[in-house]
């Protein structure tokens, strides 16, 4: 057969009913009265996946990612539409499924392998490679309940990695385990895709997988928002995340002295802020600088240092603006930092002021400043920084 | 290349459903092995636990029904008479009792894996048989020690076991389905089986039940199984044909349960 498609999804819908409580009366259930308001977990999904492609499925919580995978894995039926699958499917919706706590690692390899549909002789033929991936042959005859969670994951993963199928459905496998484990999963994905396997992977962390994906599908509110090249989708997804996220109140603390967080009481006594200001945000042109300014009084001879933490609307720190300037003598001061606006995007930003005495953090003024950049030359409006005008060089070299 | 179509309209034929169940026999098998190993792993008495349980139960019933009440069991010593009934009942109540949680306790598997859901209940067949087997060994020892002799009819024992499994499954499959709708079913089942043991000829021969109440035994498939089991073990005449009513009932229940499973198979995830 010369079919190059692995999965064809047509007009797929999945309807659920909002349940008031899990306890429903027997009669209403039997009559098929589902109770509550219907809503769509998936609505009119159309997707064609070619053989050998690695597809990342991303989207905010409740977008329907897991439901889609569950339908493909035949765990739950669709309400309408159809899915055609060409090839043997291995669905790994959870790592370590079917493990029995009281049984040894050795027994669990066969048990969970069986549950994934591997026959005993197949597991036996792959046993060495499973143990090798597991990496703790001494613990093979210890009940898995005595394993550390890391060992447990490694064993579970070693079994999964040896499942033979044409299409792999992976749900959130990257969200469990540490960086080392993630690395192994990614390694497995690239190895499998090298063998021409089709892989669907659902994840919250598109940054880690996008290099491995051929295409990405963004699901949002039960529908496919975008399906295509990873770069485009990641940008769109980040934007979506910022649109949906709970944003910080952008009004700054007018009376910043009342809203400070004191870390060190003795040292902070000697430092009083009067006001803080952002100058020069409205205009934008090449080479323009934004001025972050704070006025304060210092009443001792301890050395102070100030730094600004620039944050995005979600209160996520983006950059620290610091200098070598230390304030030695007491008196009234104005401290200014100049930030090149070309580094920042069209976005709302918040600034925290951190005050250090000697090298010790003593006061934080949270949300002391806020500003919004409106740069007509930049089209991106989400928060990932793009450095377009750094010094770069292109040199042509001779062939030898 | 395998080709699969997932669609709400897609109805499965009975033949392909049964084939699917068969294809997933390793799945049931490993669940059952896991359950058995899990049950006996790191226990002090291990497999002897079930032997001890059987013996203690037998001793109690012997004291009450054999020695105190003196139920007439003909020329067969009471313990030899009672034990087959006890192990059959044990297996039956194990299968029905555990099946009620077969689906609801495996939510983690149902939500994450594809397999015919009926296999979860089918996996309960084997763990109970271990107890049945050990109980039967105890029976043989007691049987020989009381000097009762074997008869050729023992060859029919596997047939009784098969009917027993089907009987337990017929009710077990139905309780597993119903427990999706009635969450406290497993509690109800415990109460009902505690009561039902007395309207089943476990401790007494069915023949002592007056004729006008005999129909209660006829409706009870386990009664028929125990009566036939005893007849085969002791080489007695087969019980009267009224017990066939019970077998007809379990056949209907068993077949209908499979059809119901086939029908709701896909929806089970959402019913949990």
């Amino acid at each position: 057969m010369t079919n190059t498609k692995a999965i064809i999804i047509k007009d797929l819908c999945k309807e659920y009913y909002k349940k008031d409580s899990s306890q429903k009366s027997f009669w209403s259930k039997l009559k098929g009265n589902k109770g509550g308001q219907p809503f769509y977990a998936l609505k009119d999904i159309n997707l064609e996946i070619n053989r050998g492609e690695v597809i990342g499925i991303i989207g905010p919580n409740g977008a329907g990612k897991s439901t889609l995978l569950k339908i493909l894995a035949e765990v739950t039926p669709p309400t309408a539409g159809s899915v055609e699958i060409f090839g043997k499917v291995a669905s790994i919706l959870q790592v370590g499924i079917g493990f029995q706590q009281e049984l040894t690692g050795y027994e669990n390899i066969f048990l969970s392998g069986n549950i994934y549909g591997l026959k005993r002789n197949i597991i036996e033929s792959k046993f060495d490679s499973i143990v090798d991936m597991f990496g703790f042959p001494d613990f093979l005859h210890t009940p898995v309940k005595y394993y550390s969670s890391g060992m447990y994951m490694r064993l579970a993963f070693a079994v999964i990695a040896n499942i033979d199928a044409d299409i792999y459905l992976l749900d959130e496998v990257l969200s469990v385990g540490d960086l080392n484990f993630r690395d192994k999963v990614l390694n497995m994905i690239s190895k499998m895709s090298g063998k021409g396997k089709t892989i669907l992977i659902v994840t919250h962390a598109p940054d880690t997988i996008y290099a491995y994906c051929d295409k990405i599908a963004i699901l949002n509110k039960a529908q496919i928002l975008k399906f295509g090249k990873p770069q485009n989708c990641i940008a769109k997804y980040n934007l979506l995340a910022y649109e949906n996220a709970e944003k910080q109140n952008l009004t700054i603390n007018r009376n910043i002295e009342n809203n400070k967080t004191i870390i060190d009481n003795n040292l902070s006594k000697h430092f009083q802020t009067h006001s803080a200001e952002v100058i020069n945000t409205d205009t934008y042109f090449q080479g323009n600088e934004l001025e972050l300014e704070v006025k304060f009084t210092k009443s001792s001879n301890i050395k102070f240092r100030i730094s600004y933490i620039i944050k995005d609307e979600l209160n996520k720190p983006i950059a620290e603006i610091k200098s070598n300037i230390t304030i030695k003598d007491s008196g009234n001061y104005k401290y200014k930092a100049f930030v090149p606006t070309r580094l920042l995007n069209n976005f709302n930003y918040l600034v925290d002021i951190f005050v250090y005495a000697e090298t010790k953090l003593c006061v934080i003024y949270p949300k002391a400043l806020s500003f919004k950049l409106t740069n007509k030359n930049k089209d991106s409006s989400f928060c990932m920084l793009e450095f377009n005008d750094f010094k770069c060089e292109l040199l042509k070299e001779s062939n030898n | 290349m395998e080709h699969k179509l997932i669609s709400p309209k897609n109805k499965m034929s009975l033949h392909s459903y049964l084939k699917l169940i068969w294809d997933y026999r390793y799945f049931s098998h490993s669940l059952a092995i896991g359950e058995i190993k899990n049950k006996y792993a790191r226990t002090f008495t291990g497999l002897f636990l079930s032997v001890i349980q059987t013996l203690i139960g037998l001793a109690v019933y012997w004291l009450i029904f054999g020695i105190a009440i003196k139920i007439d069991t003909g020329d067969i010593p009471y313990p030899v008479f009672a034990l087959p009934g006890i192990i059959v009942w044990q297996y039956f109540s194990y299968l029905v009792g555990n099946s009620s949680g077969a689906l609801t306790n495996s939510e983690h598997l149902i939500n994450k894996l594809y397999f015919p859901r009926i296999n979860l209940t089918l996996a309960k067949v084997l763990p109970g048989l271990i107890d049945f087997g050990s109980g039967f060994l105890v029976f043989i020892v007691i049987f020989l020690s009381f000097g009762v002799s074997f008869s050729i009819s023992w060859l029919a024992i596997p047939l009784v076991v098969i009917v027993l499994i089907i009987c337990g499954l017929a009710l077990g499959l139905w309780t597993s389905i119903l427990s999706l709708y009635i969450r406290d079913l497993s509690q109800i089942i415990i109460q009902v089986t505690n009561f039902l043991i007395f309207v089943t000829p476990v401790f007494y021969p069915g023949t002592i039940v007056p004729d006008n109440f005999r129909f209660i035994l006829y409706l009870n498939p386990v009664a028929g199984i125990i009566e036939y089991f005893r007849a085969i073990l002791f080489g007695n005449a087969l019980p009267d044909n009224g017990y066939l009513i019970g077998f007809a009932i379990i056949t209907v229940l068993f077949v209908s349960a499979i059809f119901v499973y086939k029908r709701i198979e896909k929806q089970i995830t959402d019913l949990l």
Side-chain angles (χ1 to χ4, degrees):
Chain A
M1 209 159 75
T2 54
N3 197 339
T4 57
K5 294 273 181 267
I7 301 174
I8 302 170
I9 301 173
K10 273 194 198 128
D11 304 323
L12 192 73
C13 290
K14 176 73 187 179
E15 207 177 16
Y16 277 117
Y17 290 86
K18 275 182 199 152
K19 285 173 187 165
D20 299 329
S21 74
S22 62
Q23 195 66 51
K24 269 196 293 177
S25 96
F26 168 61
W27 293 113
S28 68
K29 240 185 177 179
L30 206 61
K31 280 182 215 147
N33 176 3
K34 305 272 168 62
Q37 289 288 312
F39 70 94
Y40 282 99
L42 291 173
K43 194 158 175 29
D44 300 326
I45 302 289
N46 284 291
L47 213 55
E48 289 197 1
I49 294 163
N50 295 323
R51 212 180 293 165
E53 277 182 334
V54 180
I55 309 287
I57 299 172
I58 59 179
N61 280 334
K65 306 182 295 287
S66 294
T67 309
L68 178 61
L69 224 55
K70 276 184 174 183
I71 290 175
L72 296 181
E74 287 190 86
V75 166
T76 186
T79 312
S82 68
V83 181
E84 271 189 278
I85 297 177
F86 301 91
K88 190 172 181 289
V89 179
S91 50
I92 298 145
L93 305 193
Q94 195 181 355
V95 178
I97 197 164
F99 270 30
Q100 293 267 11
Q101 295 294 320
E102 295 281 355
L103 301 190
T104 65
Y106 177 86
E107 289 167 316
N108 269 311
I109 289 175
F110 286 93
L111 183 65
S112 73
N114 258 328
I115 284 174
Y116 282 118
L118 294 175
K119 289 188 179 122
R120 200 178 170 87
N121 55 346
I122 295 174
I123 302 171
E124 267 161 7
S125 70
K126 299 199 164 187
F127 190 75
D128 288 341
S129 99
I130 292 174
V131 175
D132 198 44
M133 280 191 83
F134 172 47
F136 301 96
D138 298 348
F139 286 88
L140 214 52
H141 295 283
T142 307
V144 292
K145 70 180 212 177
Y146 298 119
Y147 281 18
S148 73
S149 51
M151 284 164 71
Y152 193 88
M153 296 304 305
R154 284 179 77 137
L155 182 66
F157 184 74
V159 176
I160 290 164
N162 282 285
I163 300 173
D164 254 332
D166 305 311
I167 300 164
Y168 293 83
L169 308 173
L170 309 173
D171 190 5
E172 305 282 4
V173 279
L174 294 170
S175 57
V176 293
D178 55 8
L179 282 174
N180 186 18
F181 181 76
R182 256 187 220 190
D183 223 45
K184 273 177 171 264
V185 176
L186 292 174
N187 246 323
M188 177 188 91
I189 291 172
S190 62
K191 224 184 249 173
M192 282 172 174
S193 75
K195 284 186 205 157
K197 312 279 191 188
T198 312
I199 299 167
L200 263 78
I201 177 160
V202 162
T203 181
H204 277 300
D207 309 347
T208 49
I209 58 153
Y210 94 103
Y212 296 87
C213 291
D214 296 309
K215 282 178 192 166
I216 280 184
I218 306 177
L219 270 177
N220 187 37
K221 292 176 183 152
Q223 284 174 312
I224 289 191
L225 198 67
K226 199 172 170 77
F227 180 56
K229 289 253 173 294
Q231 295 86 330
N232 306 339
C233 287
I234 297 273
K236 180 96 180 157
Y237 175 69
N238 282 343
L239 184 60
L240 187 74
Y242 276 99
E243 276 171 4
N244 289 347
E246 200 179 309
K247 286 176 187 161
Q248 293 285 310
N249 190 352
L250 283 172
T251 52
I252 57 163
N253 302 318
R254 278 283 155 226
N255 195 344
I256 59 173
E257 192 58 22
N258 288 347
N259 282 305
K260 64 182 175 185
T261 310
I262 297 170
I263 310 289
D264 189 312
N265 213 1
N266 285 332
L267 294 168
S268 65
K269 279 191 300 211
H270 308 296
F271 193 94
Q272 277 220 317
T273 311
H274 306 302
S275 66
E277 239 184 302
V278 186
I279 302 159
N280 232 1
T281 57
D282 298 338
T283 53
Y284 176 90
F285 51 89
Q286 194 68 26
N288 191 20
E289 280 166 341
L290 184 78
E291 293 173 27
L292 305 174
E293 184 187 280
V294 58
K295 286 179 182 164
F296 57 91
T297 305
K298 183 170 165 288
S299 53
S300 82
N301 287 330
I302 305 167
K303 280 182 202 162
F304 278 93
R305 189 170 63 77
I306 295 170
S307 78
Y308 297 100
I309 308 286
I310 299 184
K311 295 172 154 185
D312 66 15
E313 291 182 50
L314 306 178
N315 223 9
K316 194 169 94 185
I318 308 245
E320 180 173 10
I321 313 293
K322 53 182 181 182
S323 71
N324 294 328
I325 300 169
T326 51
I327 308 123
K328 290 183 188 107
D329 305 321
S330 56
N332 294 329
Y333 291 94
K334 186 153 88 175
Y335 176 77
K336 270 189 186 189
F338 301 90
V339 184
T341 46
R342 68 180 167 87
L343 291 183
L344 298 170
N345 291 336
N346 292 339
F347 205 72
N348 296 317
Y349 293 96
L350 291 161
V351 182
D352 292 356
I353 301 174
F354 280 48
V355 180
Y356 296 85
E358 305 288 351
T359 51
K360 200 167 178 298
L361 179 64
C362 68
V363 198
I364 299 170
Y365 297 94
K367 288 207 278 176
L369 300 165
S370 81
F371 61 91
K372 184 183 175 138
L373 287 181
T374 43
N375 169 6
K376 298 208 170 55
N377 297 334
K378 281 195 174 182
D379 50 353
S380 69
S381 60
F382 68 94
C383 208
M384 194 166 86
L385 298 183
E386 279 174 33
F387 298 151
N388 288 324
D389 51 357
F390 266 46
K391 188 181 171 188
C392 301
E393 264 186 351
L394 177 70
L395 298 173
K396 187 162 188 177
E397 293 195 327
S398 55
N399 280 337
N400 48 10
Chain B
M1 178 70 64
E2 278 180 50
H3 173 236
K4 205 158 34 179
L5 179 72
I6 306 168
S7 155
K9 286 166 228 141
N10 205 5
K11 290 272 185 293
M12 208 186 286
S13 71
L14 182 65
H15 172 258
S16 54
Y17 184 56
L18 294 178
K19 187 178 176 300
L20 190 69
I21 295 171
W22 179 248
D23 287 344
Y24 274 82
R25 63 191 182 279
Y26 294 107
F27 174 80
S28 297
H29 185 72
S30 61
L31 279 184
I33 298 286
E35 193 170 322
I36 293 166
K37 282 187 177 167
N38 220 359
K39 188 174 166 191
Y40 295 112
R42 303 188 323 111
T43 57
F44 178 62
T45 48
L47 206 60
F48 280 104
L49 183 71
S50 65
V51 174
I52 292 165
Q53 274 173 343
T54 311
L55 284 176
I56 291 174
L58 180 66
V60 171
Y61 299 137
W62 189 5
L63 215 65
I64 300 172
F65 298 99
I67 296 170
I69 301 179
K70 290 198 183 64
I71 284 174
D72 179 24
T73 55
D75 48 1
I76 302 155
Y78 188 78
V80 180
F81 170 83
L83 196 50
I86 293 171
I87 61 174
V88 165
W89 184 262
Q90 261 181 357
Y91 183 72
F92 174 77
S93 64
Y94 173 89
L95 202 50
V96 176
N98 277 293
S99 295
S100 57
L103 296 177
T104 47
N105 293 342
S106 299
E107 212 171 326
H108 60 289
L109 287 177
I110 293 175
N111 273 328
K112 300 290 177 188
L113 268 182
Y114 166 74
F115 55 87
R117 308 314 191 196
I118 196 170
N119 286 42
L120 283 173
T121 316
L122 297 179
K124 302 289 176 191
V125 169
L126 203 57
L129 274 182
I130 301 284
D131 288 344
F132 185 84
S134 67
F136 193 70
L137 289 178
V138 173
F139 170 75
I140 291 176
V141 172
I142 293 177
F143 185 80
L144 293 176
S145 62
F146 277 90
V148 190
S149 55
F150 288 104
S151 83
I152 185 82
S153 55
W154 279 46
L155 292 174
I157 290 172
L159 195 68
V160 174
V161 176
I162 289 168
V163 176
L164 175 61
I165 290 172
I166 290 174
C167 172
L169 269 182
L171 285 138
L173 289 171
W174 270 106
T175 52
S176 65
I177 294 166
L178 290 176
S179 61
L180 290 172
Y181 300 94
I182 313 167
R183 278 307 164 97
D184 41 7
L185 192 69
S186 56
Q187 298 302 314
I188 298 169
I189 295 284
I190 293 169
Q191 302 308 321
V192 172
T193 43
N194 279 345
F195 162 73
L196 273 181
I197 191 169
F198 293 101
V199 288
T200 307
V202 175
F203 314 121
Y204 52 85
T207 44
I208 68 167
V209 176
D211 281 349
N212 44 351
F213 287 106
R214 194 70 67 80
F215 72 93
I216 298 174
L217 296 191
Y218 292 161
L219 293 176
N220 178 353
V222 192
I225 291 169
I226 292 175
E227 288 294 284
Y228 273 91
F229 195 28
R230 281 191 185 126
I232 287 164
L233 290 174
F234 307 135
N236 293 344
L238 289 179
D240 58 286
N241 288 336
Y243 290 107
L244 297 178
I245 298 171
F247 296 148
I249 292 172
I250 58 164
T251 310
V252 171
L253 284 177
F254 184 66
V255 174
S256 60
I258 289 174
F259 274 97
V260 171
Y261 252 105
K262 181 170 103 61
R263 200 183 153 82
I264 67 162
E265 181 77 29
K266 304 271 174 194
Q267 272 98 50
I268 286 175
T269 317
D270 298 338
L271 283 170
L272 279 168

